[in-house]
């Protein structure tokens, strides 16, 4: 197997940590650059003792430098906040380096919508059209030829995978869609913040950013593509007292009378060739513990004839499937590797 050289900008956040862990088991990608302004000069094993003795543990963290990354790497992962990624992505792509951007900077196709939701004018709007939305089940052919992949957000990954079959097959009404999502605390990132402290998260459960979460336009954009018309969603988020995991419960009106068996068969057919999407048996519902540390998206289905609703429950690991693992799958596709290389993962167990 050809070994490609990879760089990782922003290694000290949760998504950077997860990517470093996953790359330890990758046969076709060698991590040759890991960057952090605050921790340059230390090895990854010094930062994350769990990596000691593993292939990436001895790598010394460096300052982010576009020229150095372009000389050393064929592909670079950007695990930095929105606004920071766009300039570096543009500079790397210009130098012929493939980029997987884990920020939101290239997910939203309309620069005005991006500015509205993120409070920032996009400095490279011409590059947005080139960026491919990195959901492998939907866009694998385009990802394979992409220079720049916009890695989807964690919440949108769960919602889009959960609703795509029902919407594309005309089983649900596009209007009146409600998505109720809950995430573990790592979804807020590794920065120090009062709301993420242990005593603020443990033994409680709360909603946040109702009606204004920044992942809303991303979900609406992709579902609108499927429907062939504009869709508005009521997207509502909550913080769970757990480290990892997202569980999204989606409520839609049935477009016509349909049995659970019919809906279940449609979902199984839609994901027959998608090894990371597990449509659970009729009557079963997903749990976060069953997907921890994996690429799996577990989907459970309920048809409620009393209210004429389809209820879709979609469950992923926000760090792996919702961020770093998905970024690695996209990199595999971009480099012509097996999409599952480095991602044949069993669930993390206590």
């Amino acid at each position: 197997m050809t070994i490609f050289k990879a760089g990782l900008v922003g290694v000290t956040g949760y998504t950077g940590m997860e990517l470093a862990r996953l790359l330890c088991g990758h046969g076709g990608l060698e991590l040759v650059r890991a960057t952090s302004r605050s921790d340059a000069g230390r090895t990854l094993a010094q930062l994350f003792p769990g990596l000691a003795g593993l292939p990436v543990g001895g790598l010394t963290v460096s300052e982010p430098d576009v020229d150095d990354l372009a000389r050393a790497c064929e592909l670079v992962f950007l695990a930095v906040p929105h606004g920071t990624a766009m300039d570096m992505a543009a500079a790397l792509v210009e130098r012929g380096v493939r980029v997987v951007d884990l920020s939101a900077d290239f997910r939203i196709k309309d620069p005005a919508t991006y500015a509205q939701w993120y409070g920032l004018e996009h400095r490279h709007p011409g590059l947005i059209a080139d960026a491919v939305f990195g959901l492998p089940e939907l866009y694998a052919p385009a990802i394979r030829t992409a220079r720049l992949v916009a890695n989807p957000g964690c919440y949108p990954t769960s919602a889009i995978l959960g609703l795509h079959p029902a919407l594309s097959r005309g089983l649900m009404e596009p209007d009146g869609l409600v998505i109720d999502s809950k995430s573990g605390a790592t979804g807020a990132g590794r920065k120090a913040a009062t709301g993420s402290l242990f005593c603020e998260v443990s033994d409680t459960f709360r909603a946040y950013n109702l009606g204004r979460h920044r992942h809303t336009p991303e979900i609406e954009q992709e579902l609108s593509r499927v429907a062939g018309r504009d869709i508005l969603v009521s997207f509502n988020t909550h913080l769970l007292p757990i480290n990892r995991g997202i569980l999204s419960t989606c409520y839609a009106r049935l477009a016509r009378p349909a049995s659970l068996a019919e809906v279940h068969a449609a979902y199984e057919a839609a994901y027959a060739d998608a090894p990371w999407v597990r449509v659970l048996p009729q009557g079963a519902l997903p749990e976060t513990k069953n997907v921890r540390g994996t690429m799996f998206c577990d989907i459970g289905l309920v048809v409620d004839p009393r209210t004429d609703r389809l209820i879709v429950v979609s469950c992923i690991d926000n760090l792996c499937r919702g961020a770093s693992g998905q970024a690695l799958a996209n990199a595999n596709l971009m480099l012509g590797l097996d999409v599952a290389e480095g991602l044949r993962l069993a669930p993390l167990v206590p």
Side-chain angles (χ1 to χ4, degrees):
M1 179 187 294
T2 301
I3 306 297
F4 295 94
K5 307 294 185 182
L8 170 52
V9 179
V11 71
T12 55
Y14 286 132
T15 56
M17 293 167 59
E18 184 79 348
L19 254 172
R21 177 182 77 87
L22 293 172
L23 286 166
C24 287
H26 200 292
L29 270 176
E30 179 187 0
L31 186 63
V32 297
R33 292 291 186 276
T35 80
S36 167
R37 297 188 188 280
S38 60
D39 289 291
R42 304 176 69 188
T43 67
L44 288 182
Q46 288 174 323
L47 288 175
F48 312 123
L51 297 179
L54 296 175
V56 303
L59 183 64
T60 299
V61 176
S62 59
E63 292 265 358
D65 181 280
V66 168
D67 291 329
D68 177 61
L69 288 163
R71 285 192 298 267
C73 306
E74 292 154 285
L75 182 140
V76 171
F77 300 97
L78 300 180
V80 292
H82 73 272
T84 303
M86 65 174 76
D87 294 332
M88 188 166 287
L92 288 167
V93 168
E94 184 180 9
R95 288 163 172 80
V97 180
R98 295 179 180 89
V99 174
V100 180
D101 177 22
L102 282 82
S103 84
D105 282 349
F106 295 96
R107 296 172 188 162
I108 308 300
K109 291 300 182 183
D110 180 16
T113 302
Y114 174 86
Q116 175 188 345
W117 286 86
Y118 287 87
L120 178 68
E121 293 296 326
H122 206 291
R123 294 186 293 277
H124 302 278
L127 195 54
I128 295 176
D130 291 340
V132 176
F133 193 74
L135 201 54
E137 286 82 2
L138 274 60
Y139 301 118
I143 294 168
R144 288 190 179 96
T145 60
R147 299 181 301 159
L148 171 62
V149 165
N151 211 60
C154 50
Y155 280 130
T157 295
S158 67
I160 295 163
L161 289 175
L163 291 168
H164 187 277
L167 193 56
S168 64
R169 285 160 170 75
L171 293 169
M172 56 172 272
E173 294 286 353
D175 297 320
L177 181 60
V178 177
I179 302 170
D180 184 309
S181 293
K182 297 111 178 150
S183 174
T186 51
R190 203 176 177 218
K191 63 184 179 297
T194 300
S196 301
L197 295 175
F198 176 81
C199 289
E200 303 297 327
V201 174
S202 179
D203 197 31
T204 190
F205 178 45
R206 66 175 183 264
Y208 71 99
N209 286 350
L210 297 185
R212 56 187 179 89
H213 196 283
R214 286 172 167 172
H215 284 171
T216 303
E218 189 179 335
I219 295 170
E220 291 179 341
Q221 170 184 282
E222 295 304 311
L223 294 183
S224 295
R225 284 184 182 180
V226 179
R229 48 157 289 190
D230 288 343
I231 287 181
L232 293 177
V233 303
S234 177
F235 175 55
N236 307 297
T237 49
H238 306 75
L239 181 64
L240 291 169
I242 62 175
N243 290 341
R244 309 168 69 121
I246 282 178
L247 190 143
S248 293
T249 306
C250 309
Y251 304 88
R253 291 279 186 188
L254 286 166
R256 56 178 175 77
S259 67
L260 176 58
E262 180 185 354
V263 175
H264 189 271
Y267 270 73
E268 285 194 319
Y271 290 126
D273 298 319
W276 290 321
V277 179
R278 301 188 295 197
V279 181
L280 302 187
Q282 295 180 45
L285 294 174
E287 298 183 48
T288 58
K289 69 178 182 181
N290 296 327
V291 298
R292 289 181 70 238
T294 79
M295 284 290 288
F296 290 121
C297 174
D298 285 359
I299 295 176
L301 302 165
V302 174
V303 172
D304 182 0
R306 189 179 67 86
T307 60
D308 197 33
R309 289 190 185 275
L310 170 64
I311 305 170
V312 180
V313 183
S314 175
C315 189
I316 65 169
D317 182 302
N318 60 295
L319 287 182
C320 191
R321 180 62 212 241
S324 305
Q326 189 145 258
L328 188 51
N330 285 318
N332 287 339
L333 288 170
M334 296 168 81
L335 296 170
L337 301 172
D338 180 352
V339 67
E341 178 61 38
L343 294 168
R344 297 176 178 88
L345 306 165
L348 297 173
V349 294

